[in-house]
Structures are given as C-alpha cells and as structure tokens.
C-alpha cells in the first residue's frame, strides 16, 4: 500500500468535499468566514504530544539515529499523523541547536495544520520560514522530495541556506534553484530531500520536459509534496498567469504602419470611447467611418478584413489604455511590464504576442520575435500535479472563499504568539490628488522630524517617483524601491525600520523580508520602539483588501508597536473606476484643504473593495471553465510523450500503417538506430501537432467573443471545437510521423534528421503572459471573461457588438 496515500487519509480532513459539494457550498456563501477553520483544538491538542517527545539532552548523533528510525517507519507504511509528534520534536531540538531559536506554540500549530494540507494565516514576523521546516521534514521521510515554493529567487536561496544547518543535523539534504541555474544544477537540486525554488521556475521545468528528446534531460522527480510560501501570491495573484515556453520559430505579429498612424490619430469621444471604468475601448460610428476612409476600405467588418480588425483593436488598447510608468516602463530599449500586485517590474512577463508588439511599436521600438508557443500552463493547473500541498501567508482570510472554490482548501488562522498592538487608523479622504499629496507630504515631514521610521506604499512606479521628487530635497535619507533586484530590495526593506528611515515602496516590493525596528542590526530597537515603531502609509486603496493588509502588516511584528493609515482621494484609480464620488451625497463636507469629512465615504470605499473582489472572483470562476478541457488534453498528450521519451511506449505508426516502409528502413539501419530514430520522430511530431492545437485553442477563444450575438452557449461551442480538434490530434500526429518517415534520408547507417527537415528550435525561452483580463475590464462580461489569454480581443467583441446593433437599427 502507498504510504503517502495512507498518510493523507489518516489526518482529519477539514473542508474536504467533492467538487459538487464545494459548488453547493459556494452557492450559499455569505462571506469568507464559512471557509475559515475556527476550531483550533486539533492543533492545540498536538502540542503536548510533541513536547512529550522532545529530548533536551539529545546529541547530534541521537538526532540522526532518531530520524533514521523514523525514515524506516515512514517507508514501511507508517502514517504521517502517527510520526508527526516524534518528527516535530526532533526538528524542534535541531532548530534550537542549529539556529539558537526556540520554536513557539504558534509555529508548531501552524506546522501541524500545514502537515494536514491546510493553508495557514500567520502574521508577519511570526517565523513562517521556520514553521515550514517541520512539515518539510515530515514529508521528506520517504525520500520522495519536497518542494518549498517561494515568492522570488532571493528568498529561495536565503531560506535554503538559512535552514540548511537544521536539515543537515537531521540527515536531510537541501538545495535551491534560481532562474539562472543550469540543467545539471537543477537536476542535483531536485535530487535533494528538500528543494527551494519559485513556483514559476518549477512550472517552467515542467514545460521544458515537453521539448526533451532524451530522458537524461529531465530534471525533476515525480510530484510529491509542496509547501507554498506567500501562498496568496502563488494561488491567487499569480494563479491564472500562463507560463509559456516558445521556440525560435518566428511568430511575429506584423503591424501596418499606415494602420498605426490612423489609429494614433483617432480622437477620444469622437472616434472612440471607453467604458465607465476606462478599461474597455471601442470605436464610434464616426471612428469606423474614419478608419474605412483612411485605409481605403469599403467595410471594416468584411470577413477579408478580420486580421486587420484584430490589429486595429490591439493597437487601440496599446495606444490609449496602456500607460507608460503605470502598466509598463521602458528600460534598456525594452518594454517591461509592471506587476499590478507588487508594483515591481518583471522582465520575464509579456502581453500576448500582438499586444506586446503593438506597445513596442507605440514606443518606437523594434518588436521582438516572440517565437512559436510550444507549450503553456498556468500555476493553478501546475500545482494540481502535487498529490498534496499546503501553504502559509500573512494574509489569507479575506480570500478564503477563493482558496476553497479553486483548491478545496480551508484557511486556518493561527493567532500570533504575541498579540498585535498595531494601530490601524481610519483613512483620510481628499477631494483630489493635489490635496491628498499636500497632506501626505506634510504628514511624512512631520513624523520624520520625530525620527520615527516611515514606509510609504504606492500603487504605481509613476506615483512613487512623483512622491520621491517632492520629498527628495526635504528628506535626504529617502530611499525608493522600484525596478530593483530582489536582493537589493531585501537589504533596503530590512533597514526600513531604522531611526529616521523614510522608504517609498511600490506596493509589496521586498515581500518576505521582515522589517525589524532599529534596522537589521537592531541596535536602535529600544529607541525606535519608544518612538511608536514603524509608521506605514498607503497612498491608494487596492481593489483587494488583502493587498492593503499586506502593506499594513509590515508594521507591528511580534507585538511591536506600529501604526498604519491610508491617504486616498476621489481621483484615485479605484474611486474613478467605480465612480465613487457620484454615488455619495452631494453635500459631503470638505475642509479648506480639500479633506472630506464624515465616515460615509470611507465606508463606501470598503464596500467598493468588496464588490470588486466579488466581481473578480466570479470572473475567475467563469474563466476556469474554459481551461478544464485544455488542461485535460494537455495532460494526456504530456503523459503520452513522457512514456515515449522513457521508452515505455511508442506510437508504432509505420508498423501499424505502413509495414513496407518500416521494413525498407529497417534493412538499412540497425534495430537500435531504428528505435532511436522512431522515438525522435514521434516526439518531434507530437511537439509540432501540439503547437498547432494551441493555436487552434486561441482561435476558438476568438470565436467565443462573438457568440453572444447569436445567443449560442459560448462554453459549449468552445468545448465542442476543442473536442473535435483533440479527436483529430491523434490522426494529425500519425500523418505527421508518416510524412516525416516518407522523407527518410539515411547516411552512415543513421537517419539524417537535418536532411529530413526535422529541426527543433535552436533556442527556447520561457516567460509569463500577462493576460490582462481584470485590467481591461473583462470581469463584468461573460463573453469577455471567458477569454484567459487575449485581452485585446475584448475590444473586437465591442466593435462587433456596435456594428451589429447599428446594422439592426438601420434595417428597422
């Protein structure tokens, strides 16, 4: 019997339900509280059991002997729940010896919950990095490998090296993987008992397997158990972003210069309009006529102009909706996207091919060749490969419903060891941006004079630069964090608690790094504590309350004093998007400096955030339906390819369908060469045909956007297209294999692949696609929200909608 499966069922399964049960529960949702595990007696009850097995006088040899015995019991089938108290007691002792840190009850409770597959919320500064070591050691007993998936490369290296003495003392090996790690380094790291790496790199390593032609190129071992650090970022913020691997086969979207000039000359409200949130854009009747005249077209919507219409919509998005220094920056003559959640620049993220090229042309750059997409997967789908995973973060409760809906997991909130005494002040609301910035700068200067450290979290790079430009000459010590690398950010953010420090950070730059009062050295701790601790200021409310709480959580760690406050205005993005000012009484009072009095407006902001969160979650639920079938098909193809790669299976196309050709080739080469050549050709054919299938998927998504006009079920139509395409995929692969063999060229007793035209990409690249579905306002429209990869196509739908309505009106 598999000990891993036995271990899972041995733990109490809080929140474990079938998909149908979860859906019924979702229909009854009345807030996140239903999806939060409130009874902690189970975890409290494990504490005496753990402490009973702690041996304070155990020598390093004793610990190794104890762990050796536990490993034997684990591989022999002992359940994890049975082993947990003894394993945790040994880890407890090793942490004390190796790190001179005594784990506290909150960490042990969190560790126990994670061992049971839960997502735990534990406040900043409570020691989540150490808490992860306990379930990592428990799950590593069988030698199957545990992955600790972190937020960035810096944290992967830092945590692996920091915890290495503990693991070594217990007889485990540990390693880390970074973006720059080569194949040999990755293979060695995956062979370790515990491997630290980012979720993205783990996903990319999975995708790279699809391009392997030799089993020796596979780095990973079979999936076993994962521990997610900053779980909300991985499971929610980054979950739907596709990870892509592409070859250097050109796939560049050509943009006609005359078309670009025409779109660029369009005027707002005359030729195009945006929706109420400023996220969607569509041509007016005058705009359609203007473009037809400028480009010499009779009918922009003629089927022969479909490609041109798509490009026009792509460039409309690029020219009028995407903003430099807000959505992207230009660095080293490249367009680099800004992560909407962290405010940081991500050089390895791109928009879908057409939109990326359009922005590059908008900025006067030469569009890069993005290559043919060979495979892709979202983090959400990748994480489902693990038989079990758990996670930890400081902010999970507000997204408990989403964790439950998509992963079937409850959130377990662990109280801090020392209660938080941070004071979270009510927002200060202003009529306009100028009034907000005037009050904000005055507050910062006033507090700075006391020597108290201040952390200011901005929404965009543009805002952080504007604020730093105002304060730079008044506060020479000012530090600004944006577009830096993770290690530099970590050093700066770690010192943000020093006396007189003023740090401006785009949202959550440096996440995962504690801000200690008095700085890294802690020499000024008492002084800064007496000043009131760290003062956190937010300059905007985010659409998700969870992101705001992440910023607040930088202050008040481990019972330290601290304060937080947000300065917001009616001209902020969130207020503008939801027209908050228009929904409030017109007689709202303002003082002489533009500050709005009364709590009604502040309460309205909180309500707006809840509405926004609900809309985005509903959109994600719809989007997920469009990924189910593709993911099923991808798994089938990937599994088949892996079986061929590892010589466990073969398509045997020639043997089945062309035995004469098979015999002809076999007479000219050895059986060994034939088997190797057949495998190479089959793998190559699968890659080509799967790339064609992915192209068809995108075309099917294009069609989805138009189907509401004829009242068809878009999901049914989409799935029908995919089923039909997948039914034909096997024939496509078989025909491709036969065609390749028909061109067989044999030189020196071997198949000459180069002469046969069998040539894979000479290089590949991995990157993330920024789908932009929330950014471009797709959350309120079923058709728009059903497209998870190509945001510009939403505008195409809008144009078609206008055209059909206009045509109908004229006909009547």
């Amino acid at each position: 019997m598999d000990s891993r499966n036995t271990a899972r069922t041995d733990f109490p399964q809080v929140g474990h339900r079938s998909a149908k049960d979860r859906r019924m529960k979702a229909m009854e949702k009345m807030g996140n509280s239903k999806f939060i595990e409130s009874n902690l007696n189970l975890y409290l009850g494990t504490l005496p059991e753990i402490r009973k097995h702690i041996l304070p006088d155990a020598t390093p040899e004793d610990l190794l002997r104890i762990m050796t015995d536990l490993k034997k019991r684990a591989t022999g089938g002992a359940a994890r729940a049975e082993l947990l108290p003894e394993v945790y007691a040994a880890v407890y002792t090793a942490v004390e010896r190796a790190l001179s840190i005594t784990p506290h009850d909150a960490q042990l409770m969190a560790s126990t919950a994670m061992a049971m597959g839960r997502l735990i919320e534990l406040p900043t500064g409570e020691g989540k990095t150490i808490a992860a070591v306990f379930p990592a050691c428990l799950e590593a007993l069988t030698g199957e490998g545990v992955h600790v998936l972190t937020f960035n490369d810096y944290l992967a290296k830092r945590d692996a090296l920091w915890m290495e003495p503990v693991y070594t003392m217990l007889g485990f090996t540990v390693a880390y993987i970074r973006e720059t790690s080569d194949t040999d380094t990755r293979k060695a790291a995956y062979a370790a008992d515990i491997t630290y790496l980012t979720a993205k790199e783990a996903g990319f390593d999975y995708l790279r397997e699809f391009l392997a032609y030799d089993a020796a190129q596979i780095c990973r071992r079979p999936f076993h158990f994962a521990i997610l650090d900053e779980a909300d970022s991985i499971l929610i913020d980054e979950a739907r972003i596709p990870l892509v691997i592409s070859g250097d086969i050109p796939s560049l979207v050509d943009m006609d210069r005359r078309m670009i000039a025409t779109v660029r000359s369009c005027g707002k409200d005359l030729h195009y309009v945006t929706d109420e949130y400023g996220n969607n854009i569509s041509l007016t009747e005058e705009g359609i006529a203007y473009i037809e005249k400028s480009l010499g077209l009779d009918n922009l919507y003629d089927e022969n102009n479909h490609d041109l219409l798509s490009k026009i919509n792509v460039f409309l998005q690029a020219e009028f909706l995407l903003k430099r220094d807000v959505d992207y920056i230009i660095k080293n003559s490249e367009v680099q996207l800004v992560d909407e959640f962290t405010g940081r620049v991500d050089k390895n993220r791109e928009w879908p091919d057409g939109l990326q090229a359009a922005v590059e042309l908008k900025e006067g750059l030469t569009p890069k060749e993005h290559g043919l997409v060979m495979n892709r997967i979202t983090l959400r789908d990748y994480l489902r490969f693990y038989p079990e995973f758990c996670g930890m973060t400081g902010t999970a409760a507000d997204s408990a419903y989403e964790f439950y809906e998509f992963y079937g997991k409850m959130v377990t909130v662990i109280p801090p060891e020392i209660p938080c005494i941070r004071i979270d002040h009510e927002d200060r609301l202003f009529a306009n941006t100028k009034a907000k910035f005037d009050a904000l700068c005055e507050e910062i200067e006033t507090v700075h004079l006391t020597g108290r450290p201040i952390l200011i979290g901005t929404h965009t790079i543009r805002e952080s630069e504007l604020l730093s430009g105002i304060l730079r000459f008044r506060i020479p010590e000012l530090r600004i964090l944006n577009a830096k690398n993770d290690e530099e950010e970590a050093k700066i953010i770690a010192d943000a608690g020093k006396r007189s420090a003023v740090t401006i950070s785009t949202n959550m730059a440096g996440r995962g790094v504690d801000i200690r009062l008095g700085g890294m050295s802690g020499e000024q701790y008492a002084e800064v504590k007496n000043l009131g601790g760290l003062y956190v200021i937010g300059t905007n409310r985010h659409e998700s309350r969870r992101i705001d709480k992440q910023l607040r959580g930088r202050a008040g760690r481990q019972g330290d004093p601290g304060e937080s406050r947000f300065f917001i205005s009616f001209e902020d993005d969130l207020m503008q998007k939801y027209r908050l000012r228009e929904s409030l009484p017109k007689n709202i009072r303002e003082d002489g400096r533009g500050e709005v009095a009364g709590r009604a407006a502040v309460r309205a902001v909180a309500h707006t955030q809840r509405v926004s969160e609900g809309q985005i979650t509903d959109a994600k639920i719809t989007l997920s339906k469009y990924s189910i079938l593709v993911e099923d098909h991808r798994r089938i193809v990937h599994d088949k390819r892996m079986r061929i790669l590892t010589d466990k299976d073969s398509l045997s196309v020639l043997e089945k369908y062309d035995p004469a050709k098979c015999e002809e080739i076999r007479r000219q080469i050895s059986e060994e060469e034939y088997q190797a050549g057949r495998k190479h050709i089959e793998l190559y054919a699968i890659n080509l045909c799967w790339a064609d299938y992915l192209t068809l998927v995108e075309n099917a998504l294009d069609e989805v956007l138009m189907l509401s006009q004829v009242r068809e079920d878009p999901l049914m139509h989409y799935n029908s297209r995919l089923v039909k395409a997948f039914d034909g995929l096997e024939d496509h692969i078989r025909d491709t294999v036969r065609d390749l063999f028909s061109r067989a060229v044999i030189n020196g007793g071997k198949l000459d692949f180069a002469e046969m035209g069998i040539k894979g990409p000479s290089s590949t690249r991995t990157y993330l696609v920024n789908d932009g579905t929330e950014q471009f306002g797709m959350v309120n429209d079923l058709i728009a929200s059903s497209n998870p990869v190509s945001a510009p196509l939403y505008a195409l739908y809008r144009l078609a909608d206008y055209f059909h309505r206009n045509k109908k009106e004229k006909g009547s």
Side-chain angles (χ1 to χ4, degrees):
M1 182 178 293
D2 182 63
S3 61
R4 181 174 62 211
N5 293 334
T6 304
R8 294 290 175 267
T9 57
D10 188 78
F11 283 126
Q13 295 298 306
V14 178
H16 181 74
R17 290 182 170 86
S18 68
K20 181 179 179 181
D21 289 339
R22 295 203 306 272
R23 174 63 62 184
M24 293 300 293
K25 189 77 172 179
M27 299 295 290
E28 302 168 3
K29 64 172 181 172
M30 295 180 65
N32 279 309
S33 60
K34 289 197 171 196
F35 311 101
I36 298 174
E37 186 179 13
S38 57
N39 188 344
L40 302 181
N41 289 337
L42 173 64
Y43 313 118
L44 285 168
T46 63
L47 296 180
E49 286 297 308
I50 294 170
R51 297 193 182 282
K52 183 173 69 176
H53 288 91
I54 292 175
L55 301 174
D57 299 324
T59 65
E61 292 75 16
D62 292 334
L63 290 176
L64 281 174
R65 177 181 50 77
I66 290 169
M67 293 308 296
T68 299
D69 177 64
L70 289 167
K71 289 176 183 179
K72 288 179 180 178
R73 290 163 59 189
T75 54
R80 301 294 196 276
E82 175 190 332
L83 301 175
L84 186 148
E86 295 174 72
V87 173
Y88 278 27
V91 176
Y92 182 99
T93 302
V95 170
E96 277 195 319
R97 300 281 177 81
L99 304 179
S100 299
I101 296 173
T102 299
H104 50 69
D105 286 353
Q107 288 172 311
L108 293 174
M109 291 171 63
S111 299
T112 304
M114 285 194 286
M116 299 177 185
R118 313 291 197 260
L119 299 177
I120 63 103
E121 176 176 297
L122 191 64
T124 300
E126 288 295 303
K128 290 187 287 291
T129 303
I130 291 175
V133 175
F134 289 82
C137 290
L138 180 66
E139 287 296 334
L141 288 174
T142 56
E144 294 171 276
V146 173
H147 297 167
V148 182
L149 304 179
T150 66
F151 185 62
N152 58 46
D153 271 358
Y154 165 75
L155 293 177
K157 179 181 179 180
R158 184 202 70 177
D159 293 352
L161 295 179
W162 183 15
M163 296 298 115
E164 185 175 21
V166 178
Y167 292 124
T168 301
M169 188 173 289
L170 296 170
F172 293 110
T173 55
V174 61
Y176 63 89
I177 293 172
R178 305 187 78 179
E179 183 183 334
T180 55
S181 298
D182 59 27
T183 301
D184 290 341
T185 301
R186 290 172 187 269
K187 189 176 293 187
Y190 280 121
D193 294 313
I194 297 101
T195 308
Y196 285 75
L197 73 164
T198 66
K200 297 172 189 175
E201 281 306 303
F204 285 139
D205 281 335
Y206 171 79
L207 291 178
R208 290 185 184 102
E209 293 179 359
F210 195 77
L211 302 184
Y213 286 89
D214 188 330
Q217 296 173 308
I218 303 299
C219 295
R220 297 182 315 100
R221 293 194 283 166
F223 291 95
H224 173 50
F225 190 83
I227 300 171
L228 278 55
D229 191 9
E230 306 295 354
D232 54 336
S233 289
I234 296 172
L235 295 176
I236 295 179
D237 300 339
E238 305 281 335
R240 261 189 330 103
I241 297 175
L243 282 65
V244 174
I245 187 166
S246 66
D248 58 356
I249 304 170
S251 176
L252 181 64
V253 175
D254 179 45
M255 291 281 182
D256 181 84
R257 299 283 175 175
R258 190 161 60 108
M259 180 274 294
I260 292 174
T262 299
V263 172
R264 187 169 279 161
S265 64
C266 288
K268 186 175 183 181
D269 297 328
L270 175 62
H271 299 119
Y272 71 87
V273 293
T274 58
D275 71 352
E276 58 180 330
Y277 302 131
N279 287 336
N280 298 308
I281 189 168
S282 59
L283 292 170
T284 62
E285 187 173 0
E286 291 82 0
I288 294 170
Y290 173 70
I291 287 178
E292 289 176 339
K293 180 179 179 180
S294 299
L295 300 181
L297 304 173
D298 291 330
N299 180 3
L300 179 60
Y301 293 91
D302 187 276
E303 62 180 13
N304 294 324
N305 295 325
H306 181 272
D307 185 54
L308 176 62
L309 181 60
S310 297
K311 292 176 182 178
I312 287 172
N313 281 279
V314 165
F315 206 78
L316 278 169
Q317 301 275 9
E319 183 69 25
F320 301 116
L321 293 188
L322 291 173
K323 300 179 179 63
R324 184 169 175 170
D325 294 331
V326 175
D327 302 302
Y328 65 92
I329 65 169
I330 303 298
K331 187 175 182 180
N332 300 327
S333 297
E334 290 185 351
V335 172
Q336 297 184 0
L337 275 63
V338 176
D339 187 292
E340 66 171 308
F341 296 105
T342 66
R344 294 189 61 251
V345 173
D346 192 336
K347 64 180 180 180
N348 291 320
R349 183 170 299 186
E350 298 180 355
W351 287 294
D353 202 357
L355 185 57
Q356 184 77 17
V359 174
E360 288 163 347
L361 286 167
K362 167 189 174 181
E363 297 294 342
L365 305 173
T366 301
K368 298 181 296 185
E369 290 192 4
H370 297 270
L372 179 69
V373 172
M374 307 298 290
N375 208 354
R376 63 191 298 152
I377 191 171
T378 64
L379 280 179
R380 179 182 296 156
D381 289 327
Y382 169 76
L383 290 168
R384 286 173 176 153
F385 283 118
Y386 290 95
E388 184 60 275
F389 66 82
C390 63
M392 54 187 186
T393 179
T395 47
D398 285 325
S399 298
Y401 167 65
E402 195 165 338
F403 287 127
Y404 190 77
E405 169 65 25
F406 291 112
Y407 305 101
K409 289 186 177 291
M410 299 280 282
V411 168
T412 303
V413 178
I414 306 294
E417 186 71 9
I418 304 174
C420 179
I421 61 172
R422 184 186 65 241
I423 301 171
D424 296 326
H425 295 287
E426 195 169 76
D427 296 356
R428 290 182 64 182
L429 177 61
F430 299 85
N432 53 62
T433 302
K434 182 182 183 305
K436 179 181 80 170
F437 266 78
D438 287 345
L440 180 61
C441 291
E442 181 181 332
E443 177 84 348
I444 293 169
E445 290 185 77
T446 301
V447 174
H448 176 63
L449 289 175
T450 69
R452 186 180 189 183
I454 308 170
L455 175 67
I456 305 114
T458 64
H459 191 54
T460 65
I461 289 176
R462 178 180 293 176
E463 189 174 45
S464 68
E465 291 179 342
L466 174 62
L467 187 58
S468 66
I470 298 172
L471 296 172
R472 178 70 65 188
F473 299 105
R474 309 180 197 180
I475 305 176
E477 304 94 327
L478 181 72
R479 303 295 298 272
I480 181 170
L481 284 179
N482 60 46
K484 302 286 186 181
N485 69 48
D486 297 321
E487 194 159 356
E488 289 175 348
E489 285 187 353
K491 292 176 182 176
I492 294 174
I493 206 75
D495 263 344
K498 290 179 65 175
R499 177 182 169 84
S500 299
V502 179
T503 310
I504 299 177
S505 166
T506 46
N507 275 351
M508 290 306 297
R511 187 173 181 184
V513 180
D514 276 355
I515 300 179
R516 300 187 178 187
L517 298 190
M520 285 187 287
S521 66
E523 293 177 6
Q524 304 171 338
Y525 176 80
E527 186 179 1
V528 173
K529 181 178 180 180
N530 290 334
L531 290 170
L534 182 66
Y535 183 25
V536 171
I537 298 175
T539 64
N540 275 272
R541 281 288 191 172
H542 197 274
E543 288 194 43
S544 169
R545 291 166 294 170
R546 177 172 51 82
I547 306 299
D548 293 340
K549 287 184 178 180
Q550 288 172 5
L551 179 60
R552 288 193 192 274
R554 304 313 294 257
R557 63 182 293 278
Q558 295 185 347
D560 286 338
E563 294 181 54
S564 71
R565 187 192 296 274
F566 281 83
F567 285 66
I568 57 179
S569 84
F570 286 130
E571 293 180 348
D572 292 347
D573 290 344
L574 182 68
M575 314 299 184
Q576 291 285 307
K577 180 175 181 177
Y578 290 95
R579 296 184 177 180
L580 191 62
R581 183 64 184 89
E582 297 175 18
S583 66
L584 295 171
K586 298 191 180 298
N587 61 349
I588 282 183
R589 292 179 290 108
E590 298 176 17
D591 65 16
R593 304 178 63 183
E595 185 164 4
V596 177
R599 303 186 63 185
V602 175
R603 287 196 297 269
V605 173
H607 174 72
T608 298
Q609 285 182 302
R610 289 193 294 273
V611 170
S612 175
E613 289 169 353
Q615 289 178 340
I616 292 172
T617 299
D618 289 344
K620 289 177 180 178
I621 293 171
T622 301
L623 283 163
S624 68
K625 298 175 184 177
Y626 286 82
S627 67
I628 293 172
L629 203 54
V630 178
E631 176 59 16
D632 286 344
H633 291 168
R634 192 195 52 68
R635 288 191 183 210
I636 292 171
V637 171
H638 186 275
D639 289 347
K640 182 69 172 179
R641 193 182 190 282
M642 285 297 292
R643 290 184 63 81
I644 294 172
L645 181 67
T646 56
D647 299 316
K648 296 177 182 177
D649 199 357
S650 171
L651 299 178
S652 302
V653 173
L654 286 192
E655 292 88 337
K656 294 177 182 177
Y657 303 100
D658 199 344
K661 185 66 176 178
C662 179
E663 286 303 313
E664 176 190 339
I665 294 173
R666 276 179 154 162
R667 284 195 300 268
Q668 301 177 66
I669 60 177
S670 69
E671 183 63 20
E672 182 182 356
E673 287 297 333
Y674 174 76
Q675 296 293 341
R678 181 181 67 177
K679 181 169 80 170
H680 189 96
I681 289 172
E682 289 177 351
L683 295 174
Y684 179 79
I686 289 173
N687 285 1
L688 284 183
C689 296
W690 180 248
D692 289 344
Y693 173 84
L694 290 178
T695 300
L696 183 142
V697 169
E698 294 203 27
N699 291 337
L701 286 167
D702 292 358
E703 295 176 10
V704 162
L705 303 181
M706 312 298 292
L707 291 178
S708 64
Q709 304 306 311
V710 292
R711 298 187 180 279
E712 289 187 33
D713 182 335
L715 179 60
M716 183 178 296
H717 176 88
Y718 175 77
N719 283 343
S720 176
R721 282 289 310 275
L722 265 58
V723 169
K724 183 177 180 181
F726 194 72
D727 285 345
L729 182 61
E730 185 176 354
D731 291 339
H732 185 21
I733 293 172
R734 184 181 66 242
D735 292 343
T736 301
V737 171
R738 294 181 67 181
D739 177 62
L740 292 171
F741 267 117
S742 72
R743 302 183 235 152
V745 177
I746 298 173
N747 287 320
K750 296 182 178 181
L751 287 166
D752 191 330
F753 298 130
E755 288 294 323
M756 294 167 62
I758 299 176
K759 183 182 178 183
S762 59
S763 64
T764 60
R765 59 190 297 264
T766 54
Y767 57 94
L768 297 97
V769 174
N770 197 77
D771 66 5
T773 47
E774 282 86 26
Q775 181 181 28
F776 292 113
M778 297 187 179
V779 294
N780 296 317
D781 191 291
L782 171 64
I783 304 302
S785 68
S786 66
N787 181 359
V789 296
S790 186
L793 292 170
Y794 183 58
L796 178 59
Y797 160 70
R798 291 292 191 192
L799 281 170
D801 177 51
Y802 178 86
F803 172 71
H804 283 294
R805 283 188 289 106
N806 192 46
K807 185 176 181 180
K808 184 177 180 181
E809 289 170 3
K810 288 182 178 179
S812 61

